[in-house]
Amino acid sequence: MSTLTAASQRPLRGIACMLAAAALFVAMDSLAKYLGDRYSPVQLAWSRYTVHLVVLVALLAVMGRLNRGELESQAPWGQLGRGLLLLGATLFAYLSVRALPLTQVYVVNFSSPLIVTLLAIPLLGERVGIKRIMAVVGGFSGVLIAVQPNVGGVSGELLLPVAMAVCFALYQLATRYFAAQDSALTSLLYTAAAGGVVSTLAVPFFWVPILTQDIALFVMIGVLGALSHFALIEAMRSASASLVSPFLYSQLIWATLIGYWFFGDVPSGATLLGAGIVALAGGYLIIGERHRH
């Protein structure tokens, strides 16, 4: 059963926060795409996580929640591994948006709920019925329609968003596993800290001097990352996940519009058809969680 009581349910607020989170995530990835021609994904990820960590710590301090209870984790090493999975997803995402249109990247990324469904069988011991298996198969067919891989082999560029989706799926499974042990804010803090520390250790090997006109954009990547995760948490706190999660698919709309306006990417009919199929399959799996709990 959901941990939200009937009194605490605020569906309109939850939907609004999820729509905001979707737009903020796309804005962050769009900045990474814009800067990707001049800077390494490692340098962009460093900015995304270090600024995110600073913003998060500052907000917790203002809220009076920067205390031992929020800083301590019941599974610190597990949370570290979880944070590294999201860092891996971020690096593959920044490599992907540099090489591919935003819409295609998001279509492949939205296969992560399908991957979660499959991996939850061996990793979490969950049972999956025939309807959910059919939804997974249908969703993956949508991905194939959208990206249209060559019959002779899969392009190396298409493997980048696939790696991103796998990392993000494993991150979601780890989040589900550790949710019973730590609060959402603790998990968010460890996620930012893991990405910030590891990327800081790696960034000297990839550093390129930041142009003056790009400094504000580097900071904005981290700010957007922090705000998007806060909006996501607020969405989940305000209403059930089965209600608000499907609205994350509005990222496909933003990715299509921004890709067209700013990068000149015109999605093909196949891409839009595949996106629709993936969204329907993923939405079915998410809404189906309501009937399983």
Side-chain angles (χ1 to χ4, degrees):
M1 296 293 294
S2 171
T3 57
L4 291 167
T5 64
S8 67
Q9 287 270 10
R10 291 176 289 178
L12 293 181
R13 174 183 169 84
I15 291 170
C17 287
M18 185 60 79
L19 289 172
L24 290 168
F25 277 125
V26 177
M28 179 182 65
D29 289 339
S30 299
L31 281 179
K33 182 177 180 66
Y34 173 73
L35 295 170
D37 289 336
R38 300 189 291 279
Y39 305 99
S40 163
V42 175
Q43 192 169 353
L44 295 174
W46 166 81
S47 176
R48 181 251 187 275
Y49 282 100
T50 52
V51 175
H52 183 168
L53 182 59
V54 170
V55 172
L56 177 60
V57 170
L59 285 174
L60 288 177
V62 170
M63 296 164 59
R65 301 191 63 174
L66 194 61
N67 52 55
R68 186 173 180 179
E70 297 293 356
L71 296 176
E72 285 189 345
S73 168
Q74 300 300 313
W77 290 109
Q79 289 283 15
L80 175 62
R82 174 179 163 277
L84 293 180
L85 285 171
L86 187 58
L87 175 61
T90 300
L91 290 172
F92 282 120
Y94 291 171
L95 286 167
S96 299
V97 296
R98 184 167 64 176
L100 297 168
L102 282 171
T103 304
Q104 272 198 342
V105 172
Y106 272 94
V107 170
V108 179
N109 185 51
F110 279 132
S111 67
S112 59
L114 315 177
I115 300 172
V116 166
T117 300
L118 293 180
L119 293 182
I121 300 172
L123 296 182
L124 298 181
E126 293 188 0
R127 300 178 64 181
V128 177
I130 185 63
K131 291 182 179 179
R132 299 181 75 204
I133 291 294
M134 291 176 63
V136 169
V137 172
F140 282 125
S141 69
V143 172
L144 292 176
I145 291 171
V147 300
Q148 294 182 302
N150 295 325
V151 177
V154 178
S155 167
E157 292 179 342
L158 291 178
L159 294 178
L160 295 173
V162 171
M164 170 191 64
V166 171
C167 285
F168 190 58
L170 292 172
Y171 163 78
Q172 291 180 76
L173 287 170
T175 299
R176 184 183 300 180
Y177 182 81
F178 292 113
Q181 303 179 47
D182 293 325
S183 70
L185 280 177
T186 300
S187 295
L188 185 59
L189 186 61
Y190 269 81
T191 298
V197 170
V198 174
S199 61
T200 297
L201 294 175
V203 77
F205 300 100
F206 300 89
W207 186 263
V208 174
I210 302 175
L211 298 176
T212 303
Q213 63 266 30
D214 292 338
I215 293 176
L217 299 180
F218 265 80
V219 174
M220 186 57 64
I221 285 179
V223 172
L224 289 171
L227 292 178
S228 59
H229 278 280
F230 271 113
L232 190 65
I233 289 175
E234 282 300 310
M236 295 298 186
R237 287 180 58 192
S238 300
S240 63
S242 60
L243 172 66
V244 300
S245 293
F247 288 91
L248 197 58
Y249 285 92
S250 63
Q251 288 179 308
L252 289 170
I253 300 174
W254 288 113
T256 301
L257 294 176
I258 292 176
Y260 175 73
W261 285 336
F262 293 99
F263 302 106
D265 296 328
V266 180
S268 65
T271 297
L272 295 177
L273 174 61
I277 294 173
V278 172
L280 287 174
Y284 174 82
L285 293 174
I286 293 168
I287 294 173
E289 290 294 313
R290 174 182 298 174
H291 303 289
R292 298 177 61 241
H293 296 286

